[in-house]
Amino acid sequence: SSGINAELPLRPGDLVPTMAFQEAVHLLKIILNTHDVSVVPDVSPLSSMTELLHVVIGPILTLCNMSASQLDPVDNAVYIINLVACLYNVLAMYENTDNKLELLQNKVRAENS
């Protein structure tokens, strides 16, 4: 985690996800595609997906918050919502992601209040 934080990319002035964030989300998509086709028959797809998402989504959201922390409140909310929407659009394509989709929806609601 500290290595990731040391290389935290700066956010662009237009508040859209950075290329680094987009690349990370693309890598997540590749991992999820691989997971869909390679789950070992003995392992529950729900349990392995839950574990995978737990390991990935929390740190991504932490980095989102850190990268937006120096913005004024309105820009912070817009930037976080843009990042969460990017992540949500990828997760929505896969089964067994409902818990994390709900987490992301709650994150957007929190930013809107």
Side-chain angles (χ1 to χ4, degrees):
S1 175
S2 63
I4 293 173
N5 295 343
E7 298 177 20
L8 188 65
L10 297 175
R11 68 208 157 271
D14 56 6
L15 304 176
V16 298
T18 63
M19 283 302 291
F21 183 83
Q22 292 177 39
E23 288 173 12
V25 171
H26 179 71
L27 290 174
L28 174 60
K29 185 177 178 180
I30 291 169
I31 291 167
L32 294 174
N33 283 334
T34 303
H35 177 272
D36 275 356
V37 297
S38 67
V39 173
V40 178
D42 301 17
V43 178
S44 159
L46 176 59
S47 118
S48 62
M49 179 64 84
T50 300
E51 290 177 33
L52 173 64
L53 293 177
H54 176 73
V55 169
V56 174
I57 301 303
I60 287 176
L61 291 177
T62 298
L63 289 175
C64 290
N65 289 331
M66 290 174 61
S67 67
S69 65
Q70 300 301 314
L71 296 171
D72 67 68
V74 173
D75 286 349
N76 181 304
V78 170
Y79 184 62
I80 293 290
I81 290 169
N82 288 341
L83 296 175
V84 169
C86 182
L87 191 53
Y88 185 95
N89 290 336
V90 168
L91 291 183
M93 297 186 306
Y94 300 93
E95 292 182 19
N96 302 319
T97 60
D98 293 342
N99 287 342
K100 293 304 178 187
L101 291 172
E102 184 177 338
L103 173 76
L104 295 176
Q105 288 171 337
N106 290 337
K107 179 78 174 151
V108 169
R109 284 186 198 107
E111 294 301 326
N112 283 324
S113 48

